[in-house]
Amino acid sequence: MTPRGTPPPLRRADPGPAARLGAPPPADRLRGWLVTAGVVLLAALLRFYELGEPTDRGTPVFDEKHYVPQAWEMVRNGGVENNPGYEKIVHPPLGKQLIALGQMAFGYDGVGWRVAAALAGVLTVLLVVRAGRRLTRSSALGGLAGLLLIADGLSHVQSRMGMLDVFAALFVVAGFAALLCDRDDVRARMARVVAQGRVGDTPFGPRWGVRWWRLTAGVCLGLACAVKWSGSYYVAAFGVLCVLWDVSLRRRAGVARPWAGTVVRDLAPALWALALVPVVTYIASWWAWFGSETGIDRHQVGREIGTGGPFAWVPDALRSLWYYHGQALAFHENLTTGSAGQHPWESKPWTWPMGLRPMLYRYSDEAIGCGAAECVSAVMLIGTPALWWASIPVLLWGLWRAVTRVDWRWTAVLVGYGAGFLPWFLNLDRQMYYFYMMPVAPFLVLAATLAMGQLLGHVGQPERRRRTGLLVVSAWLALVLVNFVWLWPILVGDPITPEHWQAQLWLPSWR
């Protein structure tokens, strides 16, 4: 019995299934695209600045020496390398084909072998701006994410090198952005189903038909694998993430059997889009190799491969391609510190989150133009410390939010970060390098952006709290930008004095 006049116990009102599906994307489309255009223009100006320099006396620097000549072979050989003597071609063709396009347009010089990488770096900034906007529902925070990526030293240097990792990063981020679009699209469709009262028509919930954004993500992830095999980690990680999103959507919408509905309605289309489509895309990237007569291992059936056996029904070209992949895999498996020795700039993955072991791509003490008798020119791959040194608290905060608050935004970003970072712990004897973090850097930037958004607070909080948050975020952003400006000479190889060079080397592990 409740005495008359006693108020009922306070309970949080259920907002209803439609409201539980999440906030729609921001509506300020014009403003959003203006912010995007401004950030991308700044990225283009910085990424293309004196792109052709420095070189090693007119030749490529560091690992450009592998990929640039192979790309030049593609220009002269119909899109395929021919190196049958050593079998040192151990990565898929797409990244080198993109470098080859730049060489076709600008010739065999510094600009020619780096222009495709610079363009990929600019496009990655564009995608990070748009992905950050969708994650935070804020055009301003999306622009902030783009600024952070511009000011990241690792992303800047890799965007100015004729190497493969910048292309892998581009396609991974493109796949992630497409999955964010798919998530928003299917939630908008579910909201209409809920509004029409059709969510309970079956215990499994509605069917979706073709999900074009998810198919786009599958193509992008297949292209990432066609640059480097490490793209396969993202295929697996994003596939699991999408299944969890589908379950969450059906549960929040009030579907009677959300897990069974996901299995019945979503699992097969997800396997098609995020498993089969990437495989088909990857195989299609070998088009030039299939059409060649001189590609490495192109005609191994009848030589190293028998003509009979249980797989005799498989076309010879596919069997030869499988053999080629076996040879490449053997190369990678034997590329260990124990067998090949320790590279001077090798590092292990526990040093990567904070960039404790950067890489010196080029060094010359014969430079001129610094205003002193002796000048140094160096290019060092180094993540901006004001950004990278904050990674541990940012990631721990994000993990806490993802676990305790079930924050899908943090979950998505942490999955992207972990897919590019954690697999390298499986074989610690392998030779590994800091530039493997290039596809991970955009997710670090997105994590920092989410943290900055929470520091800023929301409209309903007290004005003093929001001003304090704005002050902290402004100071952090200013510190990142100043740090980037300080590092600029050793990111682009500008001549500096030996004293200035020594002042750039903050930690013993940087030497």
Side-chain angles (χ1 to χ4, degrees):
M1 299 294 291
T2 302
R4 182 175 298 176
T6 301
L10 294 177
R11 294 180 181 177
R12 181 177 295 178
D14 186 350
R20 291 199 302 266
L21 295 180
D28 56 339
R29 294 185 178 181
L30 177 59
R31 180 189 175 194
W33 281 111
L34 290 175
V35 169
T36 302
V39 174
V40 169
L41 178 60
L42 177 61
L45 292 174
L46 297 181
R47 297 303 197 243
F48 282 93
Y49 166 80
E50 294 187 359
L51 186 61
E53 297 294 337
T55 63
D56 186 3
R57 295 181 174 86
T59 66
V61 302
F62 197 67
D63 271 7
E64 285 185 326
K65 295 182 182 296
H66 295 295
Y67 309 118
V68 168
Q70 291 174 11
W72 188 243
E73 283 188 348
M74 289 178 164
V75 173
R76 299 176 297 169
N77 200 37
V80 66
E81 321 97 317
N82 50 359
N83 186 13
Y86 301 97
E87 295 205 5
K88 289 273 288 184
I89 302 171
V90 293
H91 289 295
L94 181 58
K96 290 165 283 187
Q97 289 171 343
L98 294 174
I99 296 173
L101 291 177
Q103 293 175 341
M104 291 175 62
F106 295 94
Y108 192 77
D109 57 18
V111 173
W113 63 61
R114 294 171 182 163
V115 65
L119 180 59
V122 173
L123 292 176
T124 304
V125 171
L126 185 152
L127 290 169
V128 164
V129 173
R130 304 306 294 179
R133 182 175 180 270
R134 282 192 178 270
L135 283 170
T136 63
R137 301 315 198 213
S138 167
S139 297
L141 287 175
L144 178 61
L147 286 177
L148 290 176
L149 189 62
I150 291 173
D152 171 35
L154 180 144
S155 302
H156 182 80
V157 172
Q158 284 302 122
S159 297
R160 295 165 52 83
M161 286 287 151
M163 295 168 60
L164 305 182
D165 301 83
V166 67
F167 303 113
L170 170 64
F171 293 123
V172 165
V173 175
F176 180 74
L179 290 178
L180 293 180
C181 292
D182 172 74
R183 184 183 185 279
D184 282 343
D185 176 67
V186 78
R187 272 164 171 68
R189 291 157 69 181
M190 179 66 89
R192 292 195 293 269
V193 171
V194 171
Q196 296 167 4
R198 296 188 291 109
V199 73
D201 288 353
T202 73
F204 302 135
R207 300 179 185 273
W208 299 124
V210 179
R211 295 170 66 166
W212 294 106
W213 280 115
R214 185 169 284 188
L215 284 174
T216 301
V219 172
C220 292
L221 294 176
L223 294 175
C225 295
V227 175
K228 274 193 166 184
W229 289 351
S230 54
S232 60
Y233 302 143
Y234 292 94
V235 174
F238 288 164
V240 173
L241 178 65
C242 286
V243 171
L244 296 179
W245 280 352
D246 289 337
V247 172
S248 174
L249 172 63
R250 293 183 183 275
R251 182 177 62 82
R252 288 177 176 272
V255 173
R257 301 179 61 189
W259 281 97
T262 299
V263 172
V264 173
R265 301 285 198 235
D266 300 324
L267 188 58
L271 290 173
W272 157 255
L274 297 176
L276 183 59
V277 169
V279 170
V280 172
T281 302
Y282 175 80
I283 294 176
S285 71
W286 292 85
W287 59 271
W289 184 89
F290 283 120
S292 73
E293 293 296 329
T294 60
I296 182 172
D297 292 335
R298 174 62 182 84
H299 298 285
Q300 288 290 14
V301 176
R303 301 173 60 191
E304 300 294 333
I305 304 174
T307 56
F311 297 102
W313 57 274
V314 178
D316 290 353
L318 290 178
R319 297 179 70 191
S320 295
L321 184 63
W322 184 262
Y323 177 85
Y324 183 178
H325 280 63
Q327 297 298 104
L329 180 60
F331 172 86
H332 287 296
E333 289 178 341
N334 293 323
L335 192 64
T336 63
T337 303
S339 61
Q342 185 168 358
H343 190 279
W345 291 100
E346 181 183 350
S347 60
K348 297 305 179 184
W350 55 78
T351 68
W352 296 347
M354 295 179 63
L356 298 181
R357 181 59 174 166
M359 302 184 68
L360 185 63
Y361 278 1
R362 179 186 180 274
Y363 177 85
S364 173
D365 56 5
E366 300 176 355
I368 58 175
C370 68
E374 296 183 7
C375 298
V376 168
S377 174
V379 176
M380 176 169 276
L381 180 73
I382 181 170
T384 304
L387 177 62
W388 286 76
W389 289 3
S391 64
I392 301 301
V394 166
L395 294 173
L396 289 177
W397 170 256
L399 185 61
W400 183 84
R401 291 282 303 184
V403 172
T404 64
R405 302 297 178 90
V406 196
D407 191 326
W408 72 270
R409 304 169 305 163
W410 278 106
T411 301
V413 171
L414 290 175
V415 166
Y417 188 100
F421 172 60
L422 295 178
W424 297 107
F425 284 89
L426 297 177
N427 182 11
L428 293 176
D429 188 41
R430 190 187 188 281
Q431 285 188 358
M432 290 179 274
Y433 305 95
Y434 182 43
F435 60 75
Y436 291 176
M437 287 292 277
M438 177 61 197
V440 179
F443 295 99
L444 170 61
V445 162
L446 291 172
T449 303
L450 290 177
M452 288 182 175
Q454 291 177 335
L455 287 172
L456 287 172
H458 55 78
V459 176
Q461 291 181 318
E463 183 178 357
R464 183 176 180 179
R465 158 69 179 81
R466 299 201 66 192
R467 286 183 176 179
T468 303
L470 179 60
L471 179 63
V472 173
V473 170
S474 299
W476 187 6
L477 177 61
L479 188 61
V480 171
L481 296 178
V482 170
N483 198 179
F484 178 68
V485 171
W486 167 256
L487 292 172
W488 177 265
I490 65 170
L491 300 178
V492 299
D494 283 349
I496 55 177
T497 64
E499 293 76 18
H500 190 178
W501 164 242
Q502 293 299 321
Q504 295 279 7
L505 305 178
W506 292 357
L507 301 178
S509 61
W510 292 14
R511 297 176 181 272

